[in-house]
Amino acid sequence: MRQIPSAARLLSVAALPLALTACSFSTPNAAPKAAAPAAGSSAAAAAPAADPDKGLLTGKQLKAALAPVSFFPAGFTADPEDARDTGERYQLPATAEVPTPDCTKLGGTSWTEITGITGVSFAQNAYVNKNSSEEFAQEIDVYRGTTATTVLDALGKISKACPSYTDGDTHAKVTVTEKPLAGVGDGAWTITQTSTAWQGGTTLVAARVGTSVVTVLVSSSTDTGLPGGTKLTKQLVASLTGKA
């Protein structure tokens, strides 16, 4: 009998507990204090350095914006191992070169890792049906400046770099198709994955809302996951509109 892909563990935040230290984060909405310059010095007139994270949503705020348990169908329960967020502090952003994307990361809930770009805050969790192995995973990442646009543009090109990949569980070929999702946030893409070895399919959806990027993964045994993925994305976009 065909099977849908098993629920994957989070990839991009596996080392998060080790990274959550004061030296790795800046305090939200507060610029670093500088020593008072000597009277009459030119530095006395210099403006304080701007806080690059000022006004950006924290992990705590993003966690509150995630869809609540009441949103998900009966039979789905939260997986505590998949719940992560950056709390009230920000992490240092990073950009890694990804000359050859690891397409197998599309099978994991934190599939945005394929871009090699890390934001300053995030929150995510997942709901799983243990009887069917179906899954709803949701994540919101926040970036400085216009980086969220760069991330969404990169996600919109995934199918060109990864038209297919080999599923690690079934060792079968997974076909990847992508198209824009009109009228959702400040731009959105749907990425559908299918395989002859699966019953149903998996859909990934990415949408930008200001400085935030919403990403979801929905695996279904009865369809491609597109209906559920679109509905969850619209829920998250609505919760961020006017805040991100």
Side-chain angles (χ1 to χ4, degrees), residues 126-169:
Y127 288 79
V128 179
N129 186 318
K130 296 181 179 179
N131 295 323
S132 65
S133 294
E134 294 174 302
E135 180 178 21
F136 283 82
Q138 56 180 342
E139 179 175 349
I140 307 172
D141 292 86
V142 170
Y143 304 86
R144 292 176 179 172
T146 60
T147 305
T149 299
T150 301
V151 171
L152 187 67
D153 288 345
L155 295 177
K157 301 173 183 176
I158 281 182
S159 62
K160 293 181 180 179
C162 302
S164 65
Y165 68 93
T166 301
D167 176 38
D169 291 331

Side-chain angles (χ1 to χ4, degrees), residues 106 159 162-163 165 174-179 189-195 198 200-205 218 223-226:
L106 294 175
S159 62
C162 302
Y165 68 93
V174 178
T175 299
V176 180
T177 57
E178 185 170 16
K179 63 181 181 179
W189 294 89
T190 63
I191 306 168
T192 300
Q193 305 176 74
T194 56
S195 173
W198 296 352
T202 296
T203 288
L204 314 172
V205 186
V218 176
D223 55 40
T224 62
L226 179 59

Side-chain angles (χ1 to χ4, degrees), residues 5 8 21 41 49 53 71 85-86 88 113 117 119 155 158 197 213 233 244:
T21 58
S41 68
D53 299 324
F71 171 88
D85 67 81
T86 46
E88 296 183 328
E113 188 184 47
I117 304 173
L155 295 177
I158 281 182
V213 174
T233 300

Side-chain angles (χ1 to χ4, degrees), residues 19-116:
L20 294 177
T21 58
C23 63
S24 298
F25 293 78
S26 61
T27 304
N29 303 320
K33 294 182 178 179
S41 68
S42 59
D51 181 359
D53 299 324
K54 184 177 181 179
L56 298 180
L57 295 177
T58 65
K60 181 178 180 179
Q61 292 171 312
L62 296 175
K63 180 179 179 180
L66 295 175
V69 61
S70 58
F71 171 88
F72 302 96
F76 283 82
T77 57
D79 185 345
E81 294 185 13
D82 281 350
R84 299 284 190 278
D85 67 81
T86 46
E88 296 183 328
R89 294 181 177 272
Y90 298 109
Q91 64 183 4
L92 294 176
T95 301
E97 291 187 13
V98 189
T100 304
D102 181 356
C103 300
T104 63
K105 290 181 179 179
L106 294 175
T109 53
S110 284
W111 51 278
T112 51
E113 188 184 47
I114 200 170
T115 66

